[in-house]
């Protein structure tokens, strides 16, 4: 396929492309993945600025009346300059509708990030030019690889001291086992960074404020010598010539997740962002077929289907609201529809579906495959739920992982016990923590992947529910979900260990263990049971 192919349509029907197919072809749902401090939040803001979603870009740690990054709307995010919640932002540019899911950048929130990545069709991997591939980048990339998500790489902070470009590209190639193809080539670096050369459609993008790309005939175009100092022009030609040894861009390989085009820029200085957006519009896939338990769902089907990948409580603290984030997979969502929740068979009214801009929102009259909308949720919807116009299907791939840290939540004032139970229920619904109710009636246990989640839980309990709390250690080092077709064996196990068993937020049986040895012993003693480290969310009854 031609590298410069613009947005392509989904396969047309005999009578021409349907409205669903046309609208789906305009959508690009993508996430940004990065190690903390690589510049993800700043890049998010500048993408929104370029997309016309905001008129003023602030800084993550802005002071006084300077606006904070709109995707980081929780107080703890603003205080610490990190992202700990998934934000959804929708904007349109040059006929393409972008749905940007800003994922947590901290490793302690990897489960939330994993669930978010089930809702996107592509990802932008942000790499610090001075640091290269970092631990969290590698972890998040592996999550993308599990789903073969196409990845566009953005090497950020080129205007600061950086590593050699070939060294960076070689590291991406070897560390992540990806074919690398430069979509751009930097002109200078550090304080001498002047811009980039477009490798796919020869043009010069200069860092100078307000400058437009200069079209070129190629590397030998004399315009380069007019616009770039001699030493930098020579280095550009030499570097770009050597870079031609990398594989040529292959759209199919990119969409299969085996090749990444690489862009360069500086998010802080708003450079390279427009070029990156063009790449997303041209190369990132529109919504594709989605696997469900009985069949694959095509995006241009007339009947609506979608799945809930996140619940967010208290986005508007004044209203104590709970919103379910629904990724639409097929059909057209219209305001006022009633959809079937396949887990329970209940009808869910969608009276005011919401489009998001971080915590801000507006009612959507309609939405299409690739869009993410919010549905007011009063405890009915769960993460992993599938909604349809009647068909009994469940989308796959929205998991829960066994937490690595288990703590009891304690309160000093027994009078707020009921408020604590309500708060933990809502925050477990949201996926902030996993909640377990021990069968022996002792205080609730929360499970998290990383310690920062405990800080967030305590902060939100205090700020949103007025419940000061503290944590107590538990004797357990791990938990597993207990499943079996043998109901009698399940009940016998439940009764045999009331002090080491609990029910999770969905009523599923879990077992706590003090060590791997204890877990192995249980597996030997109860061969009719399975002890799972991961389970599909939709399996909850």
């Amino acid at each position: 396929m031609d590298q410069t192919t613009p947005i392509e349509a989904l396969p047309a029907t005999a009578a021409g492309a349907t409205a669903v197919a046309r609208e789906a072809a305009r959508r690009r749902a993508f996430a940004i993945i990065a190690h903390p401090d690589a510049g993800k939040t700043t890049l998010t803001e500048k993408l929104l600025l370029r997309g016309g979603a905001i008129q003023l870009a602030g800084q993550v740690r802005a002071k006084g009346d300077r606006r904070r990054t709109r995707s980081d709307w929780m107080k703890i995010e603003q205080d610490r300059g990190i992202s700990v919640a998934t934000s959804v932002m929708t904007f349109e540019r040059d006929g393409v509708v972008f749905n940007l899911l800003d994922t947590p950048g901290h490793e302690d929130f990897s489960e939330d990030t994993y669930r978010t990545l089930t809702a996107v069709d592509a990802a932008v991997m942000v790499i610090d030019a001075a640091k290269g591939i970092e631990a969290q980048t590698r972890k998040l990339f592996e999550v993308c690889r599990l789903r073969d998500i196409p990845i566009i790489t953005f090497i950020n902070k080129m205007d600061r001291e950086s590593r050699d470009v070939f060294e960076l590209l070689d590291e991406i190639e070897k560390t992540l086992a990806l074919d690398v193809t430069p979509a751009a080539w930097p002109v200078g670096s550090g304080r001498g960074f002047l811009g980039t050369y477009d490798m796919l459609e020869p043009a010069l993008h200069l860092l100078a404020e307000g400058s437009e790309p200069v079209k070129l005939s190629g590397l030998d175009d004399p315009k380069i010598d007019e616009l770039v100092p001699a030493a930098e022009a020579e280095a550009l030609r030499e570097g770009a010539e050597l870079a031609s040894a990398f594989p040529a861009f292959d759209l199919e390989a990119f969409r299969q997740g085996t090749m990444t085009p690489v862009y360069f820029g500086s998010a802080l200085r708003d450079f390279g962002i427009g070029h990156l957006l063009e790449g997303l519009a041209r190369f990132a896939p529109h919504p594709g077929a989605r696997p469900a338990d009985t069949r694959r769902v095509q995006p241009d089907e007339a009947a609506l289907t979608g799945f809930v990948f996140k619940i967010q409580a208290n986005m508007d603290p004044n209203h104590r609201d709970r919103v379910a984030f629904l990724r639409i997979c097929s059909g057209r969502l219209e305001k006022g529809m009633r959809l079937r929740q396949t887990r329970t068979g209940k009808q869910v009214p969608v009276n005011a579906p919401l489009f998001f801009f971080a915590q801000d929102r507006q009612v959507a009259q309609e939405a299409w495959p690739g869009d993410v909308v919010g549905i007011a949720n009063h405890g009915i919807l769960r993460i992993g739920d599938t909604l349809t116009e009647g068909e009994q299907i469940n989308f796959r791939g929205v998991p829960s992982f066994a937490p690595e840290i288990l703590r009891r939540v304690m309160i000093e004032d027994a009078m707020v016990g009921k408020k604590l139970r309500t708060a933990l229920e809502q925050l477990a619904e949201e996926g902030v923590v996993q909640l377990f109710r021990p069968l022996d009636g002792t205080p609730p246990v929360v499970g998290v992947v990383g310690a920062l989640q405990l800080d967030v839980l305590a902060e939100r309990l205090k700020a949103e529910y007025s419940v000061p709390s503290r944590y107590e250690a538990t004797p357990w080092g791990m938990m597993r979900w207990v499943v079996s077709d043998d109901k009698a064996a399940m009940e016998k196990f439940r009764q045999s260990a009331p002090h080491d068993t609990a029910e999770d937020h969905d009523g599923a049986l879990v077992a706590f263990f003090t060590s791997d040895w204890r877990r192995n012993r249980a597996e030997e003693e109860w061969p009719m049971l399975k002890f799972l480290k991961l389970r599909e969310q939709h399996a909850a009854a």
Side-chain angles (χ1 to χ4, degrees):
M1 183 177 290
D2 182 359
Q3 292 170 348
T4 63
T5 301
I7 306 159
E8 79 268 38
L10 285 164
T13 62
T18 65
V20 175
R22 287 196 304 273
E23 289 298 328
R26 294 203 305 131
R27 264 62 183 178
R28 300 291 183 273
F30 71 101
I32 300 179
I33 61 173
H35 190 88
D37 297 325
K40 177 180 67 68
T41 304
T42 305
L43 176 62
T44 299
E45 185 177 63
K46 296 303 170 63
L47 284 167
L48 296 173
L49 182 67
R50 284 280 174 160
I54 51 177
Q55 276 67 55
L56 172 68
Q59 293 183 10
V60 180
R61 298 187 183 275
K63 296 180 180 178
D65 60 357
R66 296 173 67 183
R67 286 177 57 179
R68 295 191 180 273
T69 303
R70 298 299 300 275
S71 60
D72 288 340
W73 52 272
M74 285 186 185
K75 184 177 186 298
I76 191 169
E77 293 178 309
Q78 295 172 353
D79 289 346
R80 301 195 186 195
I82 56 172
S83 300
V84 300
T86 297
S87 297
V88 178
M89 288 146 283
T90 300
F91 60 95
E92 185 171 346
R93 185 177 193 252
D94 296 335
V96 180
V97 178
F98 294 95
N99 288 297
L100 165 56
L101 280 67
D102 178 33
T103 62
H106 198 282
E107 63 185 336
D108 287 3
F109 295 84
S110 55
E111 187 171 347
D112 196 22
T113 298
Y114 191 106
R115 287 196 290 257
T116 299
L117 289 172
T118 66
V120 301
D121 302 304
V124 173
M125 178 169 65
V126 185
I127 293 175
D128 186 317
K131 297 176 181 175
I133 300 288
E134 297 176 85
Q136 183 65 359
T137 316
R138 191 180 295 110
K139 285 183 183 177
L140 293 172
F141 170 77
E142 290 302 331
V143 172
C144 292
R145 171 154 280 171
L146 288 172
R147 297 193 57 244
D148 295 326
I149 295 175
I151 292 176
I152 292 178
T153 299
F154 183 76
I155 296 183
N156 191 25
K157 304 184 183 180
M158 286 298 297
D159 55 333
R160 302 184 187 179
E161 290 309 311
S162 60
R163 288 166 56 185
D164 177 75
V165 176
F166 285 101
E167 186 182 320
L168 287 167
L169 297 177
D170 189 53
E171 183 179 52
I172 296 168
E173 199 167 48
K174 289 180 177 174
T175 306
L176 304 181
L178 271 179
D179 286 334
V180 172
T181 182
W185 195 258
V187 181
S189 64
R191 293 184 179 180
F193 181 61
L194 301 176
T196 57
Y197 171 79
D198 190 334
M199 299 282 284
L200 302 181
E201 286 186 351
L204 204 56
H205 298 253
L206 294 173
L207 187 58
E209 190 173 342
S211 65
E212 292 292 321
V214 179
K215 297 289 183 185
L216 304 171
S217 59
L219 285 168
D220 57 354
D221 195 314
K223 289 179 190 171
I224 294 177
D225 302 293
E226 296 171 13
L227 298 167
V228 176
E232 283 75 9
E234 183 181 350
L236 164 62
R237 289 187 172 107
E238 183 181 335
E241 286 288 351
L242 290 171
S244 62
F246 287 100
F249 178 70
D250 183 313
L251 186 62
E252 195 57 38
F254 162 64
R255 291 191 176 175
Q256 288 174 358
T258 62
M259 171 177 278
T260 180
V262 181
Y263 293 80
F264 297 85
S266 167
L268 193 62
R269 296 182 65 176
D270 192 20
F271 179 78
I273 313 303
H275 200 194
L276 177 64
L277 264 179
E278 288 170 16
L280 277 165
R282 286 165 55 191
F283 307 135
H286 52 60
R290 286 259 164 181
D293 51 359
T294 57
R295 68 183 186 87
R296 289 178 70 81
V297 176
Q298 301 297 328
D300 55 348
E301 293 178 16
L304 183 129
T305 62
F307 66 91
V308 176
F309 66 93
K310 181 173 177 61
I311 306 287
Q312 183 71 57
N314 301 329
M315 290 180 78
D316 183 350
N318 295 324
H319 295 95
R320 291 280 182 245
D321 62 343
R322 279 180 285 172
V323 175
F325 288 65
L326 180 75
R327 156 69 194 238
I328 300 173
C329 300
S330 69
R332 175 191 181 196
L333 178 73
E334 295 180 79
K335 180 183 173 185
M337 289 180 85
R338 294 181 70 82
L339 300 174
R340 186 176 193 269
Q341 180 188 34
T342 59
R343 176 170 57 85
T344 63
K346 292 180 179 177
Q347 293 292 309
V348 177
V350 187
N351 296 323
L354 302 169
F355 278 142
F356 295 103
F357 178 67
Q359 85 275 31
D360 297 335
R361 59 188 77 179
Q362 66 181 54
V363 175
Q365 299 300 317
E366 61 182 10
W368 307 88
D371 283 338
V372 173
V373 297
I375 299 174
N377 176 38
H378 304 290
I380 298 171
L381 294 172
R382 292 275 192 271
I383 291 172
D385 272 350
T386 296
L387 298 181
T388 72
E389 289 191 59
E391 186 178 2
Q392 181 65 31
I393 60 170
N394 280 296
F395 285 107
R396 296 288 193 186
V398 183
S400 267
F401 299 94
E404 298 171 14
I405 300 172
L406 298 166
R407 294 287 185 270
R408 291 196 192 276
V409 183
M410 311 299 290
I411 49 175
E412 302 297 337
D413 182 2
M415 297 296 287
V416 298
K418 185 175 180 181
K419 286 175 74 175
L420 174 66
R421 286 193 296 274
T422 300
L424 289 177
E425 288 278 344
Q426 292 189 0
L427 293 172
E429 245 179 56
E430 183 182 329
V432 171
V433 293
Q434 293 188 46
L435 177 63
F436 307 106
R437 303 178 197 86
L439 297 183
D440 62 3
T442 51
V445 173
V446 294
V448 297
V449 173
L452 182 59
Q453 285 178 279
L454 294 174
D455 292 348
V456 170
L457 175 61
E459 172 77 27
R460 294 188 64 184
L461 285 173
K462 184 178 178 181
E464 297 172 20
Y465 298 93
S466 302
V467 179
S469 61
R470 60 183 174 83
Y471 300 113
E472 278 190 2
T474 69
W476 309 297
M478 66 183 68
M479 63 72 61
R480 295 291 186 267
W481 283 279
V482 185
V483 298
S484 177
D485 292 329
D486 188 337
K487 301 303 178 188
M490 288 274 286
E491 186 56 33
K492 189 175 179 182
F493 178 81
R494 181 191 293 262
Q495 294 176 5
S496 72
H499 301 298
D500 295 315
T501 50
E503 288 185 346
D504 74 1
H505 181 61
D506 293 312
L509 181 65
V510 304
F512 298 126
F513 300 102
T514 55
S515 65
D516 250 339
W517 183 86
R518 290 283 184 190
R519 179 184 57 78
N520 287 329
R521 185 73 184 272
E523 289 177 348
E524 291 170 5
E525 292 177 355
W526 300 87
M528 67 292 287
L529 305 180
K530 290 181 180 178
F531 297 88
L532 304 181
K533 192 175 183 179
L534 179 151
R535 73 163 187 153
E536 289 275 340
Q537 287 284 69
H538 77 258

